[in-house]
Amino acid sequence: MLSALLWGAVAACSLVVGAIAGVVRPWKPRFVGWVLGFGAGALVASISFELAEEGFRIGGALPVAVGLAVGGLAFFLADFGVVRVGGRNGRAGLPLALGALLDGIPEQAVLGIGIAGGGVVSISLLVAIFVSNLPEAVGSASDLKANGRRGTHIIAGWAGVAVLCVAATVAGYQFQEVAGSQLRGGIDGFAAGALLVMLVTSMIPEATEKAGRQAGLAAVLGFAVAAGLSLSS
C-alpha cells in the first residue's frame, strides 16, 4: 500500500509542477506549443505501448474496444459540458485539465494494479505518465492564466487533480484482488479512449496553433522519448 501511495505521488506530482511553471511566469506561445506538441507525442506512445498493447495482451480485443468507446464518449460528453458552461473561454486550458483527470485516474489505477500484481513498479509507465502530465499542466495553466484565472486557483485545481490520481493508484492496488484480466484490459482501453479524443479535439490543435508546423517535430520527439522508455523496459 505504501509503495502504491509513493509511486502514485511521484507520477502525479508533475501535474502540480507543471501548473506552477505555467503560473509563475509568462511563456511565449511558441514554447507552450512546443511543450504541448511534445506531450502529445508522448501520450501517443503511452496509448500505443502502455495502454492499448497491454490491454490487448491481458484482456483481449473486446474489453479494450469497449473501454476505448466508453472512455472516448466520457471525455466527449464531459468536454461538451465544459463548452456549455463557457470553458472554451479559457482556450484549451479546461479541456486539458479534464483530459488529465479522465486519463490520469484509470492510468494510475493501472499503475497500482501492476504494483499489487507484480510487486514492482513499471518504470516505463511511471515515466510516461510523468512526462505526459507535465506539458498538459503547463499548457493548461498558461492558457488559464492568460485568460484571467487566478494563479492560486489554477494551482489548487491541479493539486486536486493530482490528489485524485494518487488516490486512483491506491484504489488500483486494492482493486487487484477482484479485478480480472478483462476488467484490467477495459480500464486500459478507457484511459486510451479518453486520451485520444482529448488529443484530437484539444491538445494537438492548440499545439499547432501556437507552434505552427514545428509542433509536429516536437510531437515526434515526445513520441521517441516515451516509446524508447516503454520499449527498453
Side-chain angles (χ1 to χ4, degrees):
M1 174 70 74
L2 182 60
S3 177
L5 182 63
L6 172 63
W7 289 116
V10 170
C13 73
S14 57
L15 294 170
V16 180
V17 172
I20 293 173
V23 165
V24 296
R25 55 158 293 177
W27 299 93
K28 292 183 178 180
R30 185 173 296 275
F31 174 79
V32 175
W34 261 89
V35 169
L36 289 172
F38 183 93
L43 287 173
V44 171
S46 179
I47 291 168
S48 301
F49 302 113
E50 296 292 347
L51 295 174
E53 182 181 42
E54 180 68 7
F56 284 125
R57 185 183 68 81
I58 64 175
L62 182 59
V64 175
V66 173
L68 281 164
V70 174
L73 184 61
F75 181 87
F76 176 82
L77 293 176
D79 188 40
F80 181 75
V82 170
V83 175
R84 290 293 298 269
V85 299
R88 288 299 189 192
N89 292 334
R91 309 293 295 282
L94 287 178
L96 283 174
L98 177 64
L101 180 63
L102 287 179
D103 98 87
I105 288 179
E107 197 170 48
Q108 296 212 188
V110 170
L111 181 65
I113 290 172
I115 294 172
V120 294
V121 65
S122 169
I123 297 299
S124 57
L125 178 58
L126 178 69
V127 174
I129 293 173
F130 189 97
V131 168
S132 62
N133 281 346
L134 191 61
E136 282 184 286
V138 171
S140 171
S142 298
D143 269 350
L144 292 171
K145 181 73 180 296
N147 284 274
R149 298 296 181 93
R150 293 181 59 182
T152 53
H153 291 170
I154 297 171
I155 295 173
W158 276 100
V161 172
V163 168
L164 290 174
C165 288
V166 174
T169 308
V170 176
Y173 182 91
Q174 296 282 6
F175 195 54
Q176 164 65 19
E177 294 184 0
V178 296
S181 59
Q182 290 187 334
L183 181 56
R184 291 171 60 188
I187 292 173
D188 282 332
F190 181 95
L195 272 174
L196 283 170
V197 177
M198 184 275 291
L199 283 170
V200 173
T201 59
S202 299
M203 197 169 185
I204 292 174
E206 187 78 356
T208 303
E209 179 182 342
K210 284 180 164 58
R213 298 175 65 182
Q214 295 179 12
L217 294 176
V220 171
L221 180 60
F223 181 91
V225 170
L229 289 169
S230 295
L231 297 176
S232 65
S233 63

